[in-house]
Amino acid sequence: MFTKSTIIRSPHAFATRRGGVSELEHTKSLNLAFGRGDSDKTVLKNLEIFANNVGFDPKNVISLPQIHSDIIYKVDKSDCGKGYFIRDGIDGADGYITDCQGVALGIKTADCVPILLEAEKDGKIVAVGAVHAGWRGSVAKIAPKCVKMLCENYGVTPTDIRVCIGPCIHKCCYEVGKDLLLSASAALGEEIASKFITPKTGASGKYRCDLVALNRHLLTECGILPKNLDLIDKCTCCEPETFFSHRYSGGLRGTMLNVIFM
């Protein structure tokens, strides 16, 4: 039903597509997002099953509409339920931080990069964070921005933060066009962009994009220690029986949820 980091100490989980009650062929079986063909009742039942297995109250999760931005909110108990049980009058975002016990930060993915973070001070976990990093969020440096917010809000340094990059599409399957290379070059500089977006052999005008390596670079560049940076080395597109993949399915798929809480 889910995979976990080997270094994150806070309760957390990266969902797979297994273990739920969705019966549609493309959402079987643990679809955790509305708008994919399942009834709302089915999605909420899947959330309940997932939450019970991971160990959080489903009504305490926050998972706003994701807009491929670098917007990160500091959230608390007043935000619980937004995205699942409260769906009207809410803004979009792609990341969260909190120091509130029981508030489950939820990132939805089906190829994009889920990144979970925890900050420790004097031997105690003082805050957690979560970000959704598609290519737009990645080149906008959403992951290092989350690190900066944790430091500014909770009195920690990057060396106090542990990070895990979860299952996502890897370079082997993420073919992109030159427009993405140009956008990344404008945001990050040509040297960095060309390091992680490389020409595809034998395919003129096509490139391979390595979002995992890019985010690892950005995280270590902002001060995360290599020993505190974990990776669940699973490509969602290579393992469609285990994970939902937008690229593999051509968009006809369910959605996974990745959570962390204190």
Side-chain angles (χ1 to χ4, degrees):
M1 177 177 287
F2 57 84
T3 60
K4 297 181 68 175
S5 167
T6 58
I7 67 169
I8 297 289
R9 301 173 188 176
S10 304
H12 70 283
F14 297 92
T16 69
R17 66 177 296 170
R18 298 173 175 169
V21 297
S22 298
E23 296 182 350
L24 297 174
E25 191 61 35
H26 66 282
T27 60
K28 286 181 180 178
S29 63
L30 190 64
N31 171 44
L32 288 160
F34 301 115
R36 289 288 158 190
D38 284 332
S39 67
D40 290 1
K41 181 180 179 180
T42 296
V43 174
L44 293 175
K45 181 61 179 178
N46 281 339
L47 178 62
E48 178 185 0
I49 293 169
F50 180 59
N52 288 343
N53 278 272
V54 178
F56 65 94
D57 184 336
K59 293 186 177 180
N60 282 355
V61 70
I62 174 172
S63 188
L64 298 173
Q66 293 170 181
I67 54 177
H68 294 276
S69 68
D70 62 347
I71 296 172
I72 302 170
Y73 289 140
K74 181 180 180 182
V75 298
D76 56 31
K77 290 187 181 298
S78 68
D79 297 295
C80 288
K82 290 181 178 178
Y84 279 104
F85 299 94
I86 303 169
R87 296 167 62 187
D88 295 327
I90 56 176
D91 296 324
D94 289 279
Y96 317 95
I97 61 170
T98 192
D99 63 348
C100 294
Q101 295 285 333
V103 178
L105 310 180
I107 296 297
K108 296 185 287 290
T109 56
D111 276 343
C112 289
V113 186
I115 303 175
L116 304 182
L117 310 90
E118 68 175 5
E120 181 177 315
K121 187 175 183 180
D122 300 325
K124 179 183 178 182
I125 305 300
V126 295
V128 291
V131 297
H132 161 254
W135 77 262
R136 289 179 179 85
S138 296
V139 301
K141 299 186 177 182
I142 189 171
K145 286 180 179 179
C146 191
V147 171
K148 182 179 180 182
M149 286 183 65
L150 287 168
C151 293
E152 291 177 346
N153 282 274
Y154 305 113
V156 298
T157 67
T159 57
D160 300 319
I161 297 173
R162 286 182 288 273
V163 185
C164 183
I165 298 173
C168 60
I169 194 168
H170 284 218
K171 180 181 180 180
C172 53
C173 296
Y174 195 20
E175 180 182 300
V176 300
K178 191 172 183 179
D179 55 336
L180 194 154
L181 175 62
L182 295 174
S183 295
S185 296
L188 301 172
E190 186 176 342
E191 181 179 355
I192 295 300
S194 61
K195 182 177 180 179
F196 300 105
I197 305 172
T198 55
K200 181 182 177 182
T201 303
S204 179
K206 297 295 183 181
Y207 296 80
R208 297 286 192 188
C209 180
D210 194 341
L211 289 182
V212 172
L214 172 58
N215 279 288
R216 290 179 73 171
H217 168 78
L218 294 173
L219 285 161
T220 54
E221 187 180 53
C222 78
I224 299 297
L225 300 176
K227 70 176 183 178
N228 288 339
L229 181 51
D230 193 15
L231 167 66
I232 298 178
D233 196 15
K234 298 285 187 179
C235 174
T236 48
C237 193
C238 282
E239 300 186 38
E241 298 303 315
T242 302
F243 304 104
F244 292 119
S245 169
H246 187 87
R247 179 64 62 104
Y248 178 86
S249 67
L252 188 63
R253 45 78 181 175
T255 302
M256 298 169 294
L257 184 69
N258 312 276
V259 296
I260 188 167
F261 54 100
M262 296 171 62

